[in-house]
Amino acid sequence: MPLAPYFDKIALSAATVLRGFDRNNFAVALDQHVIAIMFDDRATLTAEGRISLELTVNVCSRLYPKIALQGLERRATQLVPQMEALSRAINPNIELVPTSAATECIVVGDTRTKATATTIYVGSDGWIVRVSQDGPVGCGSTSNPLGAAAAACFGAANIFRAVFSDQLQGATLDRYFQISLIDFDPENSRPHNPWIEDITLGEAHLVGAGAVGNGALWTLARFPEVQGTLHVIDGERVDATNPQRYVLAKYRDEGTWKGVLAKREFSRFESRVEIHPHHMRWGNYLASHAEPWQIEYAAVALDSARDRIAVQAALPAKVVNAWTQAGDLGISRHEFLGNGACLACLYLPDGATKNEDQLVAQAIGLTGREMEVRKLLYTGDPIGSDLLQQIAAALEVPLEPLLPFSGCPLRSFYTEAICGGIVLSLQVPSNNGAKNASVCATAKNPSWRGTEVPMVFQSALAGVLLASVMVADAAGLSGPVGTKTVIDLLKPLGTSLTIPTAKHPSGRCICQDADYQRVFRDRHTSE
Ligand SMILES: [Zn+2]
């Protein structure tokens, strides 16, 4: 069966959410499902419809080996070749098949489908997302892409729950909901949906252009009313596995700086947001500027606690943070003073967190040899075939496919072979499927952050939510600071999504330190 070139990474992320994960069964299950994406002229001719449609095609093409695209009316039919080209640019191995084979179906627009497959209707109206099993939910006529982009992610999540219902707990589909990305209250019968005219982000920073950052950038690039300057800080290039969940990345983008992906997307849509990519880590970015750093707004799309704390420690006036983890995803809103948590409060280590050398030693099956692992990580010395043999034996995988890593630093082996899913692909599933070797077990353990790889619709939604808060903040419309909004895409939408966050109970966070508070006031209080 034709699998995506980055299938091992897909399998790794699925292993973090599916019970009794078995790589081969997973591949077979994907092969047995055909996801149909159907759309009508309303979806084709409205900006919101096109956003929902394009992101649905984008996300589904990264996960499923077979999809079917069908225009339900004349103008929609004319758009099919363009959507097929998008799909192939993302996954060159994708099979585009007729909708008669569909097992699950996503519909964008006003048209009810006659398909007998499990069907989810998605749509939007400005800030409002709508999802239904019962019938079409329409496409609004605004140029605001936020609700429409989020709707695509919710639709894809519902399809994933339908495909893997046996391996997910409580993963029924959403019957119907509507939710505004301003108030995040699904019980509000009149969801907040303000009209947006020209909005300026001022001079904002997006720290991290990985999977979540990609979701935010994809959406912001398509918002014609938004202008301003956005510094995109990311020191990495796209690797071969990133297209698994980077909605800006095409299959051929390996080696491109992530910040360049951002710039390309904003140019393509003639956005009025000026993108300044900085191909460096946050620390180096700060070091390249004279102190005091006067950062007004930081949108954080990073994946480690340490990096997040480093952003908060530079004392931006306001911080918004997005995350994905095995159980959920969300955004949190922060000021430094006041009662709510600062970003560092949420990520202060509690002392139980394992060191990197412990995590890596565990992942490569060499628990007890942390000192040796630490030295190899620190020095970057090449690893030899002897060590690879010991790792292969410990993880119960054949040595041969690991040998190309002989002579590479341990960190490269860890990033590509463990986090990239190569080792997972080599492991023979046990009889009950639940006893995958150590990397699976560790990937399933939420406390083990090293190999947590979210599904594409989870990362994309976290990014869309981040973009929503950035725009809402710029327009003075955002929810209260000191709160977080949490969504679990592997279950039907909950009712109470936004909760207050408290400062760290230890009293030892930087926001509870008088010196930091004084510096913050000096920097951000205008006299
Ligand atoms: Zn704090």
Side-chain angles (χ1 to χ4, degrees):
M1 70 192 85
L3 296 168
Y6 35 86
F7 176 77
D8 288 335
K9 191 73 173 259
I10 299 173
L12 188 65
S13 71
T16 68
V17 295
L18 298 178
R19 290 187 298 180
F21 179 80
D22 170 323
R23 183 181 184 275
N24 291 331
N25 291 347
F26 176 66
V28 169
L30 284 180
D31 193 55
Q32 286 170 344
H33 288 265
V34 171
I35 312 305
I37 301 167
M38 298 186 184
F39 52 101
D40 61 9
D41 283 0
R42 177 77 187 165
T44 305
L45 299 172
T46 57
E48 290 191 37
R50 286 288 286 268
I51 295 283
S52 292
L53 173 62
E54 273 190 45
L55 193 55
T56 300
V57 172
N58 184 321
V59 163
C60 289
S61 300
R62 291 173 202 276
L63 178 56
Y64 300 100
K66 292 179 191 169
I67 65 172
L69 292 157
Q70 187 182 358
L72 298 168
E73 293 175 291
R74 189 175 63 85
R75 298 292 289 274
T77 305
Q78 292 167 354
L79 187 63
V80 169
Q82 196 181 324
M83 292 298 108
E84 289 183 340
L86 169 65
S87 191
R88 285 202 180 93
I90 289 167
N91 176 4
N93 298 342
I94 201 152
E95 269 188 78
L96 298 165
V97 300
T99 43
S100 55
T103 52
E104 284 79 19
C105 182
I106 301 181
V107 181
V108 187
D110 288 333
T111 306
R112 184 178 291 274
T113 163
K114 298 187 187 75
T116 51
T118 301
T119 300
I120 283 288
Y121 295 88
V122 300
S124 58
D125 180 13
W127 293 89
I128 301 173
V129 183
R130 294 198 177 99
V131 173
S132 174
Q133 282 185 60
D134 300 328
V137 286
C139 307
S141 47
T142 77
S143 49
N144 176 346
L146 294 163
C153 302
F154 280 106
N158 270 278
I159 295 302
F160 184 78
R161 300 200 308 257
V163 170
F164 294 103
S165 57
D166 292 350
Q167 290 168 269
L168 292 162
Q169 209 149 23
T172 51
L173 306 193
D174 289 290
R175 171 57 64 185
Y176 171 84
F177 72 79
Q178 64 172 357
I179 184 173
S180 156
L181 300 182
I182 298 273
D183 61 44
F184 288 103
D185 179 5
E187 299 200 308
N188 186 350
S189 58
R190 298 183 63 194
H192 199 180
N193 194 21
W195 183 258
I196 290 284
E197 288 182 357
D198 282 352
I199 293 291
T200 178
L201 298 174
E203 185 167 9
H205 292 75
L206 174 66
V207 195
V212 173
N214 264 236
L217 292 160
W218 189 97
T219 316
L220 284 174
R222 289 162 173 78
F223 205 149
E225 279 76 17
V226 176
Q227 51 186 299
T229 300
L230 184 61
H231 296 278
V232 177
I233 297 130
D234 193 301
E236 291 183 356
R237 296 171 190 265
V238 175
D239 73 26
T241 68
N242 288 153
Q244 174 255 345
R245 64 199 172 100
Y246 280 43
V247 292
L248 295 182
K250 306 278 166 52
Y251 169 57
R252 294 188 180 282
D253 284 330
E254 187 179 352
T256 307
W257 289 106
K258 293 176 184 177
V260 170
L261 284 189
K263 185 130 181 123
R264 179 179 79 186
E265 196 77 355
F266 281 70
S267 308
R268 204 183 132 209
F269 289 91
E270 298 178 358
S271 166
R272 289 187 290 159
V273 177
E274 206 176 305
I275 297 291
H276 294 265
H278 302 274
H279 309 312
M280 57 186 80
R281 295 172 61 87
W282 175 250
N284 296 338
Y285 175 75
L286 288 180
S288 67
H289 290 71
E291 288 192 72
W293 307 303
Q294 188 75 31
I295 293 162
E296 291 305 318
Y297 195 87
V300 179
L302 294 165
D303 55 12
S304 83
R306 190 175 59 180
D307 289 347
R308 286 184 172 97
I309 292 170
V311 175
Q312 182 65 79
L315 301 179
K318 191 160 186 186
V319 177
V320 54
N321 166 58
W323 78 85
T324 52
Q325 57 186 22
D328 57 42
L329 61 92
I331 36 124
S332 53
R333 312 160 180 89
H334 307 278
E335 281 175 353
F336 193 64
L337 307 175
N339 294 325
C342 80
L343 180 56
C345 285
L346 295 191
Y347 290 92
L348 271 193
D350 56 13
T353 311
K354 288 184 177 171
N355 294 324
E356 187 187 36
D357 43 298
Q358 289 175 299
L359 292 171
V360 175
Q362 183 186 344
I364 62 176
L366 299 183
T367 305
R369 292 168 63 179
E370 283 78 7
M371 284 307 289
E372 187 183 343
V373 167
R374 183 183 305 172
K375 183 160 173 276
L376 284 167
L377 288 172
Y378 178 74
T379 60
D381 286 346
I383 55 175
S385 52
D386 289 0
L387 188 68
L388 288 169
Q389 197 163 13
Q390 292 160 23
I391 293 170
L395 298 180
E396 298 175 24
V397 297
L399 171 63
E400 184 83 352
L402 302 185
L403 284 176
F405 290 97
S406 179
C408 293
L410 179 60
R411 193 177 294 281
S412 306
F413 172 76
Y414 170 69
T415 308
E416 292 174 38
I418 303 287
C419 300
I422 293 173
V423 166
L424 180 70
S425 73
L426 301 173
Q427 285 171 333
V428 181
S430 56
N431 292 337
N432 61 13
K435 252 197 320 168
N436 290 297
S438 60
V439 65
C440 275
T442 50
K444 280 176 186 163
N445 178 354
S447 68
W448 202 83
R449 304 265 161 174
T451 58
E452 233 170 62
V453 182
M455 306 299 300
V456 52
F457 49 83
Q458 294 173 311
S459 301
L461 182 64
V464 174
L465 300 186
L466 186 65
S468 299
V469 178
M470 292 170 76
V471 176
D473 275 340
L477 295 164
S478 193
V481 288
T483 60
K484 63 178 176 179
T485 301
V486 184
I487 291 173
D488 180 356
L489 279 181
L490 299 177
K491 293 192 166 63
L493 190 67
T495 51
S496 186
L497 306 177
T498 300
I499 49 176
T501 55
K503 288 206 178 290
H504 199 269
S506 68
R508 60 184 175 83
C509 184
I510 53 172
C511 68
Q512 295 155 311
D513 178 291
D515 290 337
Y516 270 98
Q517 292 171 353
R518 183 175 43 73
V519 173
F520 183 92
R521 282 198 193 90
D522 288 350
R523 209 173 282 181
H524 294 294
T525 314
S526 52
E527 295 300 330

